[in-house]
Every structure is written in structure tokens, then in C-alpha cells.
Amino acid sequence: MSLSKESTVNFLKLCQRVLHVSKKPDRSEYLNVAKITGIGVIIIGVVGFIISMIAQLLGQ
């Protein structure tokens, strides 16, 4: 894969555009994302725990 100067410049322009459009989340948006992420981690942990318990019960 060869990288030309044009493709690198285009990529940097796209990155600059994304950074220009993006904004820092406010407090409520940050808290919502943190809550959703926390709930997702808890759900994955509970599912993993249940699968582990079922595997231990079936292994006996």
C-alpha cells in the first residue's frame, strides 16, 4: 500500500474537519453516557456470571 502526498493531505483535512465539528460534551450528556456504559458493563458481567454458574452446575 503506497501513501501518496495527496491521500495524506486529504486524510488530514478530513481529520481537521471532524475535530472542528466535534464539541465537548456538557455535564448531562457525559453523565448519560457514563450511566449507559455502566449499565452495559453490569449486564455483561451478570450474563457472564450466569453462564459461569450454569457451566459449573452442568459440569458436576
Side-chain angles (χ1 to χ4, degrees):
M1 181 170 90
S2 64
L3 294 175
S4 68
K5 184 178 178 180
E6 292 177 12
S7 65
T8 305
V9 170
N10 286 337
F11 176 72
L12 291 175
K13 284 182 182 179
L14 287 173
C15 291
Q16 184 181 11
R17 187 174 135 224
V18 168
L19 289 175
H20 181 69
V21 172
S22 63
K23 65 177 181 72
K24 183 177 177 181
D26 58 355
R27 183 174 175 83
S28 65
E29 186 178 5
Y30 181 79
L31 289 176
N32 282 338
V33 170
K35 287 177 189 176
I36 292 169
T37 303
I39 291 170
V41 168
I42 291 171
I43 290 172
I44 291 172
V46 168
V47 169
F49 178 75
I50 291 171
I51 291 173
S52 173
M53 294 302 290
I54 291 172
Q56 286 182 1
L57 290 173
L58 293 177
Q60 291 180 351

